[in-house]
Amino acid sequence: QLQASGGGLVQAGGSLRLSCAASGRTHTMGWFRQAPAKEREFVAAISYSKTTHYADSLEGRFTISRVNAENTVDLQMNSLKPEDTAVYYCAARPFGTSTSWYEYDSWGQGTLVTVSS
């Protein structure tokens, strides 16, 4: 099971930090997001060995990190834009990083991030 937290309302240019806690050890943990009327899209992923993978569109604004001993993953989001508004989901899979949401078999409940202009 995955439990995400940290969403909220922030002005454009601001920052938010999302956290996700897993009930057990996971190999890869990732973040996806889904805006209204849009498909779920990949944001970032990190393997147990801390290899990271980011969506190109983020332009270096987000940073994913994890604490293996605590089974947690964080997503630090800086320089937020209105187009970052979405429900953010954490996910896990037992293999290496992937950008495809259907390759993740565990999902958190989602946390809403709203960026005002």
Side-chain angles (χ1 to χ4, degrees), residues 33-54:
R33 67 186 182 186
Q34 188 165 17
K38 292 189 176 181
E39 294 186 352
R40 189 168 300 190
E41 64 174 352
F42 171 75
V43 175
I46 185 168
S47 69
Y48 192 83
S49 62
K50 302 188 179 180
T51 298
T52 58
H53 191 172
Y54 295 94

Side-chain angles (χ1 to χ4, degrees), residues 13-16 33 41 43 54-64 75-85 88 115:
S15 298
L16 276 177
R33 67 186 182 186
E41 64 174 352
V43 175
Y54 295 94
D56 293 339
S57 61
L58 296 178
E59 302 172 322
R61 298 182 293 119
F62 293 7
T63 302
I64 191 170
L75 184 69
Q76 177 65 42
M77 305 185 294
N78 298 327
S79 302
L80 284 162
K81 304 176 181 180
E83 51 264 43
D84 294 318
T85 295
Y88 284 71
V115 184

Side-chain angles (χ1 to χ4, degrees), residues 54-107:
Y54 295 94
D56 293 339
S57 61
L58 296 178
E59 302 172 322
R61 298 182 293 119
F62 293 7
T63 302
I64 191 170
S65 60
R66 67 186 291 169
V67 178
N68 288 335
E70 298 177 356
N71 297 319
T72 58
V73 63
D74 288 349
L75 184 69
Q76 177 65 42
M77 305 185 294
N78 298 327
S79 302
L80 284 162
K81 304 176 181 180
E83 51 264 43
D84 294 318
T85 295
V87 176
Y88 284 71
Y89 298 90
C90 66
R93 69 190 300 265
F95 305 107
T97 60
S98 170
T99 63
S100 302
W101 64 265
Y102 50 82
E103 294 188 346
Y104 288 75
D105 54 12
S106 298
W107 290 86

